Structures are given as C-alpha cells and as structure tokens.
Amino acid sequence: MPRFVLLHHRTPPHAAKPDHYDLMLEDGDVLKTFTLWQLPDLSGPVTALADFDHRLAYLDYEGPVSNDRGEVAQADAGTFAWIIREKGRIEVELSGRCFQGVLKLELQEDPSEEEGSDSTTSV
C-alpha cells in the first residue's frame, strides 16, 4: 500500500504561508501534497489547497526546511488507499497512527499561483 505523512509545517514570521499541515500522499515516485489549515477532521469534508509534488524523502523527514522556510514535524504517518481522485475532490482511506478512516478533501484553487511557475523543493 502507498504511504502518507501529515506534517505540521511551522513557518517563520516572514513566510508567505502561515503555519499549516502538509498532507503528502505517495503516488509513484512523488508525494502529491495538499495544504490543510488545521488538523483534519474525518467527520466531514476538509478544505485543502493542492500544492506542488514533493520528494519521497519527506515520508520520513522531520526538521528544518531549506531556504529558511521553517521546520516540519510528523503529526501522523501510515498507509492509505485512494477512494476518489478527481478534480476538486479527493477521498482516501487512512490507516495511520492517529487517523484511521476516510478523509474527504475539497480542493481550492490557489489564487496566488501564477501560471507557468516552476516550483521545486528540497529538504
């Protein structure tokens, strides 16, 4: 089964994004990443923002993020299964240390995302 990680991303005061959670879902050789503004609640849909793909190294990483972008700490990790995967909506069955059950994401568009921008990340 593919793996997931939920990282609490604490950002520095000058960061564009405030503190948030990064839900990362293994998809082949990348992690599909979604920004959540609070810990997810499995009882209903959670608003999320699709982010750029991350490297698989984040499945096991905790610590500082390069370029003074703060630090990440695991809030949960485990395996998951895709249930629904379509534009604007994702549902996954989580089997983590903390979260067990179906997580429903309603995806928002990122108004600050510029067309054609190329994002890369490193640990």
Side-chain angles (χ1 to χ4, degrees):
M1 286 190 89
R3 294 170 59 193
F4 82 92
V5 66
L6 180 64
L7 297 175
H8 186 192
H9 189 164
R10 292 180 183 92
T11 58
H14 65 274
K17 271 187 191 176
D19 287 4
H20 59 278
Y21 291 87
D22 291 313
L23 175 65
M24 299 179 167
L25 305 172
E26 186 176 12
D27 188 31
D29 61 351
V30 298
L31 295 171
K32 295 295 181 190
T33 303
F34 304 92
T35 299
L36 310 177
W37 301 112
Q38 58 193 18
L39 272 175
D41 180 355
L42 300 184
S43 67
V46 174
T47 301
L49 182 65
D51 207 337
F52 58 91
D53 295 345
H54 285 68
R55 294 179 294 122
L56 295 177
Y58 278 96
L59 285 169
D60 301 305
Y61 182 75
E62 291 185 288
V65 181
S66 63
N67 299 322
D68 192 31
R69 290 179 291 163
E71 62 181 46
V72 294
Q74 278 194 12
D76 197 12
T79 59
F80 78 98
W82 296 101
I83 299 171
I84 295 174
R85 188 176 182 184
E86 55 191 39
K87 185 175 176 78
R89 189 171 83 144
I90 290 179
E91 290 185 19
V92 290
E93 175 83 32
L94 299 179
S95 296
R97 293 185 312 261
C98 301
F99 292 100
Q100 305 257 335
V102 175
L103 175 61
K104 299 174 184 179
L105 300 180
E106 290 183 354
L107 303 180
Q108 293 181 318
E109 294 289 322
D110 184 353
S112 67
E113 190 172 286
E114 293 179 9
E115 216 171 289
S117 67
D118 181 31
S119 297
T120 58
T121 185
S122 60
V123 174

